Amino acid sequence: AGTLGAAAAQSGRYYGAAVAAGHLNDATYVATWNREFNSVTAENEMKWDATEPSRGSFSFGSADRIVANARSNNMKIRGHTLVWHAQTPGWVQNLQGNDLRNAMINHINGVMGHYRGQILAWDVVNEAFADGGAVGTLRSSIFQQRLGNGFIEEAFRAARAADPAAKLCYNDYNIDDANANKTRGVYNMVRDFKSRGVPIDCVGLQSHFGQVPGNYQQNIQQFAALGVDVQITELDIGGSGTGQADSYRRVTQACMAVPRCTGITVWGITDKYSWRSGDTPLLFDGNFNKKPAYTAVLNAL
Ligand code: XIL
């Protein structure tokens, strides 16, 4: 196959990119997206501050523009994200107790309801685990502080009801090393959710890399063995040239080796627009030329 999406589709997988509505007026950007990718994640447009800037008043204009192009090109769509400590509007941060709980559930219902039946997988909760501390420590956030650790389970239960067709993912960074404390915490949560019947279908490994962990494939395998899919959701890898290409090849091969690793999303199309300013972590350079990393990925799919 001659494109990332077509190559991934040969094994039933998708190859997606994060796309920003602000670049949809760049014809080369849109042409590259449509040619190479068969899945999309809105880079910011489905986050809480974008979709519910004031309480109960939803706005989907920018997200809908991304979704419209994706649908007319038969792409998969990943929903990102419903409950996250960042990019949450100020009005949410002022809520307490049940008021916050009701707002969270109403937000899940409103956003998932708008896109019901159109989303492959939702990142229901994003980045809820702490980077340090004992295994299982959650990040201190308004949700954790005011609703308790059970907010994650509450969000997943609400999400299942809001769109039963969507796969429900827990998404995080620094859960790529199979043995890291943060990974163990997420692993234990997924195992607990599965054993108690709390709805969860997938784990998203953001995979914003400098170095790819040596046990990355083993990590994907250990999550899959719990009975969930694994998706690589926000891949980008610093560097350039053959070193970067080798890292991208290893990530691709790790996913391909695990049947339940169902797709890969890179966090952007071109280095020109990467959120990692000053770095060149993507598959296309600033002029939309294919980099060595692109060829490495295409050949590994
Ligand atoms: C980033 C976007 O790429 C930026 O444009 C924005 O300013 C901040 O958020 N983890 C996530 C993504 O889950 O939503 C983040 O996206 C990158 C880190």
Side-chain angles (χ1 to χ4, degrees), residues 210-228:
Q211 295 295 119
V212 184
N215 56 21
Y216 188 61
Q217 180 177 319
Q218 178 197 329
N219 188 43
I220 295 172
Q221 179 59 48
Q222 73 174 349
F223 279 114
L226 292 175
V228 289

Side-chain angles (χ1 to χ4, degrees), residues 42-44 47 80-81 84 87 123 126-127 171 173 206 208 234 267 274-275:
E43 187 171 358
N44 290 295
K47 294 171 182 176
H80 176 82
T81 178
W84 186 27
Q87 291 176 275
D123 294 330
N126 195 34
E127 301 183 352
N171 192 54
Y173 66 91
Q206 290 187 8
H208 295 293
E234 304 184 15
W267 203 243
S274 170
W275 76 302

Side-chain angles (χ1 to χ4, degrees), residues 7-270:
Q10 289 174 334
S11 66
R13 292 177 173 84
Y14 63 83
Y15 207 96
V19 162
H23 302 315
L24 293 178
N25 57 356
D26 180 333
T28 312
Y29 179 85
V30 175
T32 306
W33 174 25
N34 290 344
R35 186 187 73 232
E36 292 291 340
F37 298 94
N38 60 356
S39 178
V40 70
T41 305
E43 187 171 358
N44 290 295
E45 292 78 356
M46 290 189 189
K47 294 171 182 176
W48 199 329
D49 57 355
T51 53
E52 196 186 4
S54 61
R55 190 168 193 173
S57 136
F58 289 87
S59 68
F60 296 109
S62 296
D64 282 354
R65 287 165 61 214
I66 294 172
V67 167
N69 184 71
R71 283 169 64 82
S72 61
N73 288 281
N74 283 315
M75 294 182 195
K76 312 266 191 226
I77 302 164
R78 296 196 79 263
H80 176 82
T81 178
L82 297 165
V83 181
W84 186 27
H85 66 276
Q87 291 176 275
T88 297
W91 67 265
V92 178
Q93 288 159 40
N94 294 327
L95 305 180
Q96 302 291 334
N98 270 333
D99 204 18
L100 177 60
R101 176 173 285 109
N102 291 337
M104 180 182 83
I105 291 169
N106 192 58
H107 181 71
I108 291 169
N109 287 337
V111 178
M112 290 187 79
H114 180 75
Y115 294 113
R116 189 178 292 125
Q118 301 179 31
I119 305 293
L120 174 75
W122 267 105
D123 294 330
V124 177
V125 176
N126 195 34
E127 301 183 352
F129 279 71
D131 285 305
V135 171
T137 306
L138 296 191
R139 171 191 301 276
S140 173
S141 70
I142 55 165
F143 304 105
Q144 192 280 330
Q145 287 166 7
R146 301 173 194 174
L147 306 181
N149 291 357
F151 84 89
I152 303 177
E153 170 172 352
E154 292 183 54
F156 274 85
R157 290 190 187 277
R160 179 66 93 223
D163 183 356
K167 300 223 183 244
L168 307 181
C169 300
Y170 176 78
N171 192 54
D172 214 329
Y173 66 91
N174 283 353
I175 58 166
D176 310 294
D177 183 303
N179 300 319
N181 271 8
K182 190 170 173 183
T183 307
R184 305 258 34 113
V186 174
Y187 179 91
N188 290 345
M189 177 190 74
V190 173
R191 190 175 54 186
D192 171 60
F193 278 17
K194 295 299 278 184
S195 75
R196 292 191 297 112
V198 180
I200 186 166
D201 306 303
C202 36
V203 171
L205 306 179
Q206 290 187 8
S207 305
H208 295 293
F209 284 137
Q211 295 295 119
V212 184
N215 56 21
Y216 188 61
Q217 180 177 319
Q218 178 197 329
N219 188 43
I220 295 172
Q221 179 59 48
Q222 73 174 349
F223 279 114
L226 292 175
V228 289
D229 289 343
V230 176
Q231 302 180 349
I232 298 170
T233 53
E234 304 184 15
L235 178 62
D236 51 17
I237 308 177
S240 62
T242 54
Q244 182 180 51
D246 286 344
S247 295
Y248 265 101
R249 177 183 304 109
R250 285 196 39 229
V251 169
T252 311
Q253 288 173 339
C255 183
M256 295 295 287
V258 180
R260 288 201 81 146
C261 183
T262 57
I264 299 174
T265 303
V266 280
W267 203 243
I269 295 171
T270 163

